[in-house]
Amino acid sequence: MESLNYITSCRTEESAGHDRVWAQIDMDAVLYNMESMRNHIRQETQIIAVLKTNAYGHGAAAIMRELEKVPYVWGYAAATYEEAKELRNQGARKPILLLGYVFPYCYRDLAHSEIRPAVFREDMLAQLSQAAAAEGKPVCVHVALDTGMGRIGVQPDDSGLAFVKKAINTPGVIVEGMFTHFAKADEEDAAPTKRQIALYEGFRDRIREELGYDIPICHCSNSAGIIAFPQANMDAVRAGITLYGLWPSDEVSRTAVPLRPVMSLYSHIVYIKDAGPGVSVSYGGTFTTTKEKTRIATIPVGYGDGYPRSLSGKGYVLICGQKAPILGRVCMDQMMVDVTDIPDAHEGSLCTLIGRDGGCGITMEELGDLSGRFNYELACDINSRVPRIVCGGSLG
Ligand SMILES: *Cc1c(COP(=O)(O)O)cnc(C)c1O
């Protein structure tokens, strides 16, 4: 597993004129977003912080360390065993839940490392039971219930009930939780999510009545559910994108839960040249200058860092609080922008790729739209070549 080095101080333009690229992670914004969600949900409801894909590209270890101290954070959710293990290695003491299928090679360590798998296949129960016996330690599991996502999970019917009964009676397996996942909570039409909630509640009640078992931790909501469906705040909610100050979609309310973006992405101008008319810029010469004089700045960032190549000729960056459009194709490690109208731009000037500069800002959402992607995807794609620089928070 990669282990990023976190530098827990903020850089400023003055001190860092030579930095190629860095993602600034504002830990105060993480804590603000957590409090904001906390203020919007029932006080008894705990939050599971979703830290999969290296915390949506924000750096899971540093965020986990900050959230260890937040009392209403029940634990973390990861997508894979390796992500969960890395969180443990980095010092996570709270419970860790795995949201997808977990392969049998790691079942013994799940018991040992107290990592909770989602269960929904019968063969998992017998194999987890064996692993628990071998470790001499039980495995806590969360039943995945499919109420309309159509991805993983048992059905909320007799077959699902038989599965839950079997899970409850499997030696070494403790049914600690049950969750479902909303497919459309970020859309304006609330009816499909209400149907999912009703299916979940009906099934939970059947478990209580027919099996005499009260599932300790019931959880349904993702970020969109936290914002829009207070009735789905059960024992816990799973906060992903909102933790990072980003929006699940543009159909959810922007006022119910105020958020602050956590990641900003910065670079510096490394070269400036003046070009006359007829000069072609970057691979394929998709842009050619026409003006008498064009001032072209080279930025040492490209798709090799996860900055989308689809922003070629479409995106822009901020320099001196002004927009500088991308000229021609984004290369793997460099790109060119137009600074003709930004006379103060010079070699070494700060360049904001995501974030605010003076009165201007570029959000992950806007860049997602411009690049034909999705804000979640764009954040996840900022890769390990980009150092994460943490500022704020109690460790900073
Ligand atoms: C990724 C994921 C989440 C978090 O979703 P957000 O929209 O980012 O809040 C919650 N639950 C499950 C099962 C997931 O896979």
Side-chain angles (χ1 to χ4, degrees):
M1 285 291 298
E2 66 179 296
S3 182
L4 295 165
N5 281 326
Y6 294 96
I7 302 161
T8 50
S9 70
C10 273
R11 293 183 192 186
T12 63
E13 184 176 1
E14 292 71 38
S15 69
H18 50 272
D19 286 276
R20 187 181 72 84
V21 61
W22 73 104
Q24 186 171 296
I25 303 303
D26 180 355
M27 207 57 85
D28 290 336
V30 168
L31 296 173
Y32 175 89
N33 298 335
M34 290 299 296
E35 283 297 307
S36 193
M37 287 188 273
R38 165 78 169 161
N39 291 336
H40 188 68
I41 59 178
R42 293 189 319 132
Q43 289 309 288
E44 300 76 29
T45 302
Q46 291 195 291
I47 298 181
I48 300 171
V50 180
L51 302 182
K52 60 192 181 189
T53 317
N54 196 28
Y56 296 36
H58 290 66
I63 293 175
M64 173 275 292
R65 281 189 211 114
E66 196 67 44
L67 297 180
E68 277 285 299
K69 294 171 299 239
V70 178
Y72 55 82
V73 173
W74 175 78
Y76 316 108
T80 69
Y81 164 71
E82 283 71 21
E83 288 176 345
K85 193 65 186 164
E86 177 68 6
L87 286 171
R88 279 277 175 266
N89 291 342
Q90 296 284 343
R93 285 192 300 270
K94 294 191 183 208
I96 304 173
L97 169 67
L98 294 175
L99 298 168
Y101 176 70
V102 192
F103 291 80
Y105 69 90
C106 59
Y107 287 1
R108 278 193 64 168
D109 193 48
L110 295 183
H112 177 75
S113 299
E114 298 178 14
I115 297 168
R116 282 84 165 146
V119 293
F120 46 93
R121 261 170 59 170
E122 286 218 14
D123 58 346
M124 297 181 80
L125 296 177
Q127 289 164 344
L128 286 166
S129 185
Q130 274 174 16
E135 278 302 314
K137 211 173 164 185
V139 187
C140 289
V141 301
H142 288 225
V143 173
L145 184 69
D146 182 8
T147 59
M149 179 69 182
R151 190 167 67 179
I152 56 166
V154 299
Q155 297 303 309
D157 59 15
D158 289 346
S159 70
L161 201 69
F163 178 87
V164 174
K165 185 173 179 186
K166 190 159 184 186
I168 293 168
N169 293 321
T170 301
V173 168
I174 298 171
V175 178
E176 177 185 55
M178 180 170 78
F179 71 102
T180 198
H181 193 46
F182 296 144
K184 299 180 169 184
D186 60 339
E187 296 180 8
E188 216 169 283
D189 181 7
T193 306
K194 287 183 175 166
R195 267 197 300 278
Q196 286 196 265
I197 297 169
L199 279 172
Y200 182 95
E201 289 177 332
F203 190 71
R204 180 199 58 197
D205 294 347
R206 279 191 73 186
I207 294 170
R208 196 177 283 152
E209 285 152 23
E210 296 177 39
L211 306 179
Y213 190 79
D214 240 325
I215 294 184
I217 306 174
C218 291
H219 50 110
C220 294
S221 280
N222 52 2
S223 296
I226 292 169
I227 295 171
F229 296 91
Q231 67 272 42
N233 301 331
M234 298 176 187
D235 302 300
V237 292
R238 302 183 304 276
I241 200 82
T242 40
L243 172 53
Y244 310 107
L246 304 173
W247 300 99
S249 77
D250 47 21
E251 290 179 42
V252 298
S253 157
R254 299 272 162 120
T255 50
V257 178
L259 299 173
R260 272 164 47 187
V262 171
M263 185 194 290
S264 303
L265 187 65
Y266 298 112
S267 178
H268 290 102
I269 296 177
V270 292
Y271 185 56
I272 292 192
K273 63 180 169 290
D274 290 327
V279 173
S280 94
V281 177
S282 194
Y283 289 117
T286 56
F287 173 82
T288 303
T289 56
T290 51
K291 287 180 287 196
E292 202 47 47
K293 193 192 114 183
T294 305
R295 229 171 142 234
I296 301 171
T298 300
I299 312 296
V301 179
Y303 63 81
D305 300 295
Y307 191 81
R309 183 173 180 270
S310 56
L311 289 171
S312 298
K314 274 192 215 164
Y316 65 95
V317 301
L318 300 175
I319 293 164
C320 305
Q322 280 177 263
K323 291 184 178 187
I326 295 171
L327 299 177
R329 289 198 185 137
V330 172
C331 311
M332 191 184 290
D333 322 297
Q334 308 180 64
M335 62 180 167
M336 278 61 77
V337 301
D338 187 350
V339 293
T340 310
D341 299 327
I342 311 176
D344 288 343
H346 57 268
E347 289 169 357
S349 291
L350 183 74
C351 170
T352 303
L353 294 99
I354 299 170
R356 295 207 63 81
D357 179 8
C360 271
I362 305 178
T363 62
M364 197 78 78
E365 282 80 7
E366 183 182 357
L367 220 52
D369 284 346
L370 273 175
S371 62
R373 295 199 197 181
F374 171 47
N375 56 351
Y376 287 62
E377 190 188 358
L378 189 58
C380 288
D381 283 350
I382 305 296
N383 63 36
S384 58
R385 204 168 81 170
V386 179
R388 272 68 175 170
I389 309 296
V390 175
C391 64
S394 61
L395 304 168

